[in-house]
Amino acid sequence: MNTNSQFDQIEKICYDLFSKKAVDYGTAWRILRTPSLTDQIYIKAQRIRSIQEKGVSKVDEGIVPEFIGIINYSVMALIQLEIGVADSYEGMLSAEEASQLFLKYIHNAKALMLNKNHDYGEAWRNMRVESLTDIILMKLLRIKQIEDNDGLTIVSEGLDANYYDIINYAVFALIKLTLI
């Protein structure tokens, strides 16, 4: 099992969806403030947990698309942290600009993942998908607390570090679920 190539396969799936939606919808998400993106990610993670607990979904989408959404919304949040919220149509990005920024942040996430995998010995491979979901939810609660503190922390990592961790935990879940 090669985590590097597995990450690349998940990245491709997420990027393809992100870039196609950027063409279909433009970058309307640029109007969202970071707490709104955090809430979107929370909704997706909570739905995953609900499906895991109930064992069934009444909406014809499983948890794989939700993990993809978590990754893509996390990248959007990182973009918003860097360039700010667009307050008008003129502040939107082109599909190409958004896609390039997506690649920047997903590659940053991958670099972090490779470093952590080196240090932790790929311990995530022995984790359950349910645990990965719970950790994502915990990270989201941390992000909400930091947002409520106007982005200030005393000793903790900032918003961006938590979004990167969420991306990587969602990638791990997708690797385990799709057996890429």
Side-chain angles (χ1 to χ4, degrees), residues 1 13 53 58 74 94 98 101 126 137-138 158 163 168 173 177:
M1 291 182 280
I13 292 165
E53 289 175 352
K58 288 194 172 190
S74 295
S94 71
L101 285 168
N126 295 317
L137 284 163
M138 178 190 65
Y163 285 121
N168 286 327
L177 288 167

Side-chain angles (χ1 to χ4, degrees), residues 69-84:
I70 286 171
I71 292 167
N72 288 358
Y73 274 111
S74 295
V75 170
M76 290 176 201
L78 288 165
I79 292 170
Q80 296 294 69
L81 287 174
E82 177 185 345
I83 65 177

Side-chain angles (χ1 to χ4, degrees), residues 2-17:
N2 183 334
T3 304
N4 189 41
S5 65
Q6 290 172 315
F7 187 104
D8 290 345
Q9 290 174 45
I10 299 297
E11 174 191 322
K12 182 181 180 338
I13 292 165
C14 294
Y15 176 80
D16 286 347
L17 182 62

Side-chain angles (χ1 to χ4, degrees), residues 99-172:
S99 295
Q100 287 304 309
L101 285 168
F102 179 94
L103 291 174
K104 171 185 172 179
Y105 287 105
I106 202 76
H107 292 160
N108 288 349
K110 181 180 179 183
L112 176 64
M113 180 272 301
L114 290 171
N115 288 338
K116 285 190 173 186
N117 270 356
H118 173 271
D119 291 353
Y120 288 93
E122 297 203 346
W124 65 270
R125 290 204 180 268
N126 295 317
M127 294 176 67
R128 297 173 185 95
V129 174
E130 292 80 4
S131 296
L132 296 169
T133 303
D134 289 349
I135 291 170
I136 289 170
L137 284 163
M138 178 190 65
K139 293 280 183 181
L140 287 163
L141 294 175
R142 288 180 180 180
I143 288 170
K144 285 178 174 229
Q145 183 64 48
I146 294 169
E147 289 170 343
D148 290 347
N149 292 339
D150 297 321
L152 302 174
T153 61
I154 298 170
V155 295
S156 304
E157 298 174 317
L159 294 170
D160 59 339
N162 284 286
Y163 285 121
Y164 280 123
D165 285 345
I166 289 169
I167 290 169
N168 286 327
Y169 283 119
V171 168
F172 296 156

Side-chain angles (χ1 to χ4, degrees), residues 5-40:
S5 65
Q6 290 172 315
F7 187 104
D8 290 345
Q9 290 174 45
I10 299 297
E11 174 191 322
K12 182 181 180 338
I13 292 165
C14 294
Y15 176 80
D16 286 347
L17 182 62
F18 181 92
S19 60
K20 287 175 183 171
K21 284 191 175 189
V23 171
D24 285 352
Y25 300 132
T27 55
W29 55 267
R30 289 272 299 118
I31 201 78
L32 296 173
R33 292 169 285 190
T34 344
S36 297
L37 290 164
T38 302
D39 287 344
Q40 286 297 312

